[in-house]
Amino acid sequence: MPLKVDHDERRREIARVVEDIVLDRGIEAVTIRDVAGRVGFSTTVVSHYFRTKLEMLVFTHQEARRRAEAAVRDAVRDGASLMACAELLLPLTDERWRDWHTWFAFWGMTPAEPSIDTERRTGSESAATLFEEVIAALRAAGRLDPAIAPAEAAIDLQLIINGIASLVAQDRPAWPADRQKAELRRQLSRAGLGDR
Amino acid sequence: MPLKVDHDERRREIARVVEDIVLDRGIEAVTIRDVAGRVGFSTTVVSHYFRTKLEMLVFTHQEARRRAEAAVRDAVRDGASLMACAELLLPLTDERWRDWHTWFAFWGMTPAEPSIDTERRTGSESAATLFEEVIAALRAAGRLDPAIAPAEAAIDLQLIINGIASLVAQDRPAWPADRQKAELRRQLSRAGLGDR
């Protein structure tokens, strides 16, 4: 290990490996030892970054949504439409599919664990807040119907995106990127959220 | 054990215990030994019904969706509206929430396992087929707009129901039954699937 380690970067590196293991072999296959082996650190080093497997899983979930949220914020800043922003969140690419798989796995973890429960709730609230901001910004810019209520439209957007992702999760070959995008366009348009 | 055992009933009994364990402690906590302990059989007996943990999980997923599908078919036969049918699928009760938790956990399992992948796909196709049947029947009975295309409306219904369930999965206290029903009504109405 280099002398100067960027703590956060190391944690993110570990989180990416955790996502790979969850996708390849399921959450139950995630062990500190296995993660250490794949990332090329000793278990002692990994334990320095995450005290428990649970802490590692919670951070992995956080990281996946932070990446997705950052992509949307960047796109809005660059003048993207709502359709383009929403596309960034769909499992159109292998990378985003890995994120979605992590989220579903996490939603299926026991609600009895407070840190999981809190992170799940935070994730949903954070997505709703992001969507409200995006919709309000696009509405203010005259790119969405001014009559749209951001809070309600944010829920529509969550339902549409999570709904499409749920169909992909069950049958990925049936939902190639083009079909996902066409479905997104149809749903946004019906929700009055189509590009103007 | 009684001399005459209903094989399927025993498997269903075991599946219910598996759902409880997945909800209480996660998929990773499911072991043949633990299931045996909770259901009150020996591990040998449980192994007679399920050769592997994987087979047990696949059956548990199947059972949860068969129960849900049977409830919808019964409701349609009894003259229920689309809204009433869809309500049966939402995680409004503890029992249906347990089913949803099982489904999300299952969607987050590795796609590398063929039996999981097949059951996931079968589940989605089965839901789509059921929804198409229900919509076609209600349309024929004059209870839905005759212009509705059942295949497209079935996807709308999957998106709406899975979408609402995904929000419940992330923050159950924020989504009591009344709020889920109100959201369902709003979404069905906008999709042109409201009761007539």
Side-chain angles (χ1 to χ4, degrees):
Chain A
M1 273 199 353
L3 282 175
K4 291 201 174 191
V5 180
D6 180 340
H7 188 78
D8 288 347
E9 183 43 46
R10 280 283 177 273
R11 281 166 69 95
R12 282 194 291 271
E13 201 175 328
I14 293 169
R16 278 189 292 267
V17 166
V18 172
E19 276 208 326
D20 285 339
I21 298 177
V22 172
L23 187 59
D24 289 351
R25 301 195 284 123
I27 274 193
E28 61 194 283
V30 176
T31 63
I32 299 264
R33 174 179 300 272
D34 201 36
V35 170
R38 285 222 202 183
V39 81
F41 301 159
S42 68
T43 55
T44 313
V45 170
V46 171
S47 302
H48 167 71
Y49 293 107
F50 297 104
R51 277 165 311 164
T52 63
K53 172 181 161 174
L54 197 61
E55 195 184 309
M56 199 158 67
L57 287 169
V58 168
F59 181 80
T60 301
H61 184 270
Q62 277 172 347
E63 262 307 293
R65 66 181 177 78
R66 277 187 206 133
R67 265 198 307 275
E69 289 170 8
V72 170
R73 288 211 160 83
D74 288 351
V76 172
R77 204 165 28 239
D78 294 348
S81 66
L82 189 61
M83 172 80 190
C85 290
E87 275 185 11
L88 288 171
L89 297 174
L90 288 181
L92 301 176
T93 62
D94 281 347
E95 197 192 338
R96 193 66 78 221
W97 162 243
R98 203 159 51 232
D99 289 342
W100 272 104
H101 186 267
T102 300
W103 293 325
F104 283 121
F106 204 82
W107 297 352
M109 287 181 75
T110 174
E113 193 58 60
S115 63
I116 292 176
D117 207 44
T118 302
E119 166 56 16
R120 235 180 329 225
R121 196 172 56 248
T122 307
S124 185
E125 285 167 358
S126 182
T129 305
L130 171 67
F131 291 166
E132 279 189 51
E133 283 170 19
V134 170
I135 289 160
L138 289 169
R139 194 185 60 169
R143 299 181 62 185
L144 285 174
D145 184 340
I148 286 171
E152 195 173 272
I155 287 184
D156 292 340
L157 209 47
Q158 279 190 294
L159 289 185
I160 293 168
I161 293 171
N162 293 359
I164 293 175
S166 78
L167 296 186
V168 178
Q170 292 172 84
D171 192 355
R172 202 174 167 214
W175 287 89
D178 283 353
R179 188 179 178 199
Q180 292 185 51
K181 286 191 226 176
E183 189 60 42
L184 174 65
R185 189 176 297 279
R186 187 170 83 85
Q187 295 292 335
L188 286 182
S189 155
R190 211 182 40 212
L193 296 171
D195 297 339
R196 283 161 44 115
Chain B
M1 275 198 353
L3 282 176
K4 291 202 175 189
V5 181
D6 180 340
H7 188 78
D8 289 346
E9 184 42 48
R10 279 283 176 276
R11 282 168 69 95
R12 282 194 291 271
E13 200 175 329
I14 293 169
R16 278 190 292 269
V17 166
V18 171
E19 277 207 327
D20 284 340
I21 298 176
V22 172
L23 187 58
D24 288 351
R25 299 194 285 124
I27 273 193
E28 62 194 281
V30 177
T31 63
I32 299 264
R33 175 180 299 271
D34 202 35
V35 170
R38 285 222 203 183
V39 82
F41 300 159
S42 68
T43 55
T44 314
V45 170
V46 171
S47 302
H48 167 71
Y49 292 107
F50 298 103
R51 276 166 312 165
T52 63
K53 172 181 163 174
L54 197 61
E55 195 184 309
M56 199 157 68
L57 287 169
V58 168
F59 181 81
T60 301
H61 185 270
Q62 277 172 347
E63 262 306 293
R65 65 182 178 77
R66 277 186 207 134
R67 264 199 307 276
E69 289 170 8
V72 171
R73 288 209 161 85
D74 287 352
V76 172
R77 204 163 28 236
D78 293 348
S81 66
L82 189 61
M83 173 78 190
C85 289
E87 274 185 12
L88 289 171
L89 298 173
L90 289 181
L92 302 176
T93 62
D94 282 346
E95 197 192 339
R96 193 66 78 220
W97 161 244
R98 204 161 49 233
D99 289 342
W100 272 104
H101 186 267
T102 300
W103 293 325
F104 284 122
F106 204 80
W107 297 351
M109 287 182 76
T110 175
E113 193 57 60
S115 63
I116 292 176
D117 207 45
T118 302
E119 166 57 15
R120 237 183 324 229
R121 197 172 55 248
T122 307
S124 186
E125 285 167 359
S126 181
T129 304
L130 172 67
F131 292 167
E132 279 188 51
E133 284 170 19
V134 170
I135 290 160
L138 290 169
R139 195 184 60 170
R143 299 181 63 186
L144 284 175
D145 185 338
I148 286 170
E152 194 172 274
I155 288 184
D156 291 340
L157 209 47
Q158 279 190 294
L159 290 185
I160 293 167
I161 293 171
N162 293 359
I164 293 174
S166 77
L167 297 186
V168 179
Q170 292 171 85
D171 192 354
R172 201 172 168 216
W175 287 91
D178 282 352
R179 188 178 178 200
Q180 292 185 49
K181 286 192 226 176
E183 189 59 43
L184 174 64
R185 188 177 298 279
R186 186 170 82 85
Q187 295 292 336
L188 286 182
S189 155
R190 213 184 36 212
L193 297 172
D195 298 338
R196 291 176 22 129

